[in-house]
Amino acid sequence: MANSSENKVQHWVPQCYLRQWCDMSIPKGYTPYVWLYSKDWATQKRKAPANIFAENELYTVEMQNGIRNLYIENGLSKLETSYSKIVSKIVRNESLIKDDHEVLCVFIAAMRARTPFQRDHMQDHWGEVLGMMESMQSQYEETTHKPRGSMSRTEHVSDDISAFSMKEVKRLAETPLQEMLPTMLSVQTSILLQMNISILYSISKARFLTSDNPYVLFDPESNKRHWMYRGGMGFDTVEISLPITPRHLLLLTWRELPPYIDITRKQVEMFNQRHWAYARNYVVSNSEINKPSWISDDSYD
């Protein structure tokens, strides 16, 4: 349990992740910062990782007695500590073991599931479900002529079940991350563990960008499928990418690829373009850069 002020500010893109993009050329004594660009590249800011991509109480579970339960935030913090150790191994070109791969997969799953964008999507979905349930209940009550006192035992049991279901859906609609994040991590990690992980390394001066939405699932064949199946992780053509440093990117595929792959400037720019496209509002660089040529002036028309 936690007191009323502990860990109120909770990051959906972890500080340990963003620190890899801190500008290495900042003067001694300055607070480390990253370069933050709006998606249209119209504005740029220098921001410390502690001050971006966070919300108050994003994962806090509020108990009935008013106590703040931080078990999700604390669990994510432990995951981030383990992840940071593995990234250090990758930077030192050390071999990874099976446990390292498992931690990377959990971290990647978390980067997909823990965002406010995912929360908003789930709130919309469960809000619609709750609205339908409330409408059905209202119609039922309007068309039922029996007094409540004359209902049979069976009808009372049915009402209790319906009430419990609506309470569950109401919680899902109001706090979906608190209710579903552990389950989502378990399901998605089980799929990621079946995929092949490659570490891409930039051999040129080009550096990987990241963003406020670093997890990217890209499927070049998705537009050929029914909309219900777009975004699925199980199709052969799916690629999941996550930059982990300005020079390293994790790539998960269903294809057999080498565990370490050197890539060129052109390939780095291809992934940067992909991650810019999936960013919500901001992209992150480890240095001041000009607007990339692949961002056209009519990108937002």
Side-chain angles (χ1 to χ4, degrees), residues 90 96 101 104-105 108 192 194-201 208 239-244 247-263 271:
I90 292 173
L96 302 184
H101 283 257
L104 288 177
C105 286
I108 293 169
L192 294 173
Q194 301 174 54
M195 301 180 75
N196 301 306
I197 297 182
S198 296
I199 299 170
L200 277 52
Y201 179 77
F208 292 112
E239 292 183 354
I240 293 171
S241 56
L242 180 79
I244 57 172
R247 298 196 73 165
H248 301 82
L249 178 141
L250 294 178
L251 182 68
L252 280 72
T253 69
W254 294 104
R255 307 188 305 276
E256 290 288 343
L257 295 175
Y260 294 90
I261 304 173
D262 291 342
I263 65 172
F271 280 102

Side-chain angles (χ1 to χ4, degrees), residues 57-281:
E57 312 290 21
L58 186 58
Y59 311 113
T60 301
V61 178
E62 187 172 339
M63 310 299 285
Q64 289 185 349
N65 55 9
I67 294 177
R68 299 166 61 244
N69 188 325
L70 297 177
Y71 84 97
I72 295 178
E73 173 71 2
N74 292 337
L76 291 172
S77 179
K78 291 179 181 178
L79 171 62
E80 291 158 16
T81 299
S82 299
Y83 164 81
S84 296
K85 293 177 181 178
I86 298 170
V87 172
S88 296
K89 292 176 67 173
I90 292 173
V91 171
R92 295 192 300 264
N93 292 319
E94 296 180 11
S95 299
L96 302 184
I97 61 175
K98 181 181 178 183
D99 288 350
D100 295 335
H101 283 257
E102 291 178 353
V103 171
L104 288 177
C105 286
V106 178
F107 186 83
I108 293 169
M111 292 294 268
R112 179 189 190 186
R114 66 187 288 179
T115 68
F117 321 120
Q118 183 73 11
R119 175 203 60 200
D120 295 346
H121 171 73
M122 290 188 293
Q123 282 183 329
D124 289 343
H125 169 75
W126 289 111
E128 290 180 3
V129 174
L130 180 62
M132 288 189 291
M133 293 181 71
E134 289 174 339
S135 176
M136 291 172 64
Q137 183 183 44
S138 176
Q139 292 178 28
Y140 169 78
E141 291 174 351
E142 289 176 359
T143 56
T144 299
H145 301 292
K146 295 179 182 179
R148 283 287 178 179
S150 65
M151 283 188 173
S152 67
R153 180 179 298 273
T154 303
E155 288 170 324
H156 277 299
V157 171
S158 177
D159 278 358
D160 290 342
I161 294 173
S162 297
F164 174 78
S165 298
M166 286 191 67
K167 288 179 182 178
E168 288 291 307
V169 173
K170 192 171 188 294
R171 286 203 299 267
L172 288 170
E174 292 176 348
T175 55
L177 289 182
Q178 289 84 342
E179 295 294 325
M180 296 185 66
L181 187 57
T183 300
M184 287 193 297
L185 291 189
S186 176
V187 172
Q188 292 174 19
T189 300
S190 66
I191 299 173
L192 294 173
L193 286 169
Q194 301 174 54
M195 301 180 75
N196 301 306
I197 297 182
S198 296
I199 299 170
L200 277 52
Y201 179 77
S202 172
I203 58 175
S204 73
K205 292 182 180 180
R207 297 293 181 261
F208 292 112
L209 302 173
T210 189
S211 76
D212 55 1
N213 189 38
Y215 168 103
V216 167
L217 186 152
F218 177 73
D219 182 1
E221 301 293 317
S222 65
N223 62 338
K224 299 178 183 179
R225 300 192 181 97
H226 189 279
W227 65 268
M228 290 182 62
Y229 302 108
R230 294 174 189 172
M233 300 168 65
F235 296 105
D236 292 344
T237 52
V238 162
E239 292 183 354
I240 293 171
S241 56
L242 180 79
I244 57 172
T245 81
R247 298 196 73 165
H248 301 82
L249 178 141
L250 294 178
L251 182 68
L252 280 72
T253 69
W254 294 104
R255 307 188 305 276
E256 290 288 343
L257 295 175
Y260 294 90
I261 304 173
D262 291 342
I263 65 172
T264 64
R265 170 183 289 275
K266 185 175 181 180
Q267 292 169 311
V268 171
E269 291 178 349
M270 180 197 73
F271 280 102
N272 282 344
Q273 185 174 8
R274 185 179 297 180
H275 282 267
W276 166 81
Y278 279 78
R280 296 292 176 151
N281 299 302

Side-chain angles (χ1 to χ4, degrees), residues 18-26 32-35 47-49 246 285-287:
L18 290 169
R19 288 190 193 108
Q20 294 293 334
W21 274 266
C22 284
D23 193 328
M24 299 298 292
S25 65
I26 61 174
Y33 58 77
V34 301
W35 291 86
K47 288 285 189 178
S285 172
N286 70 326
S287 63

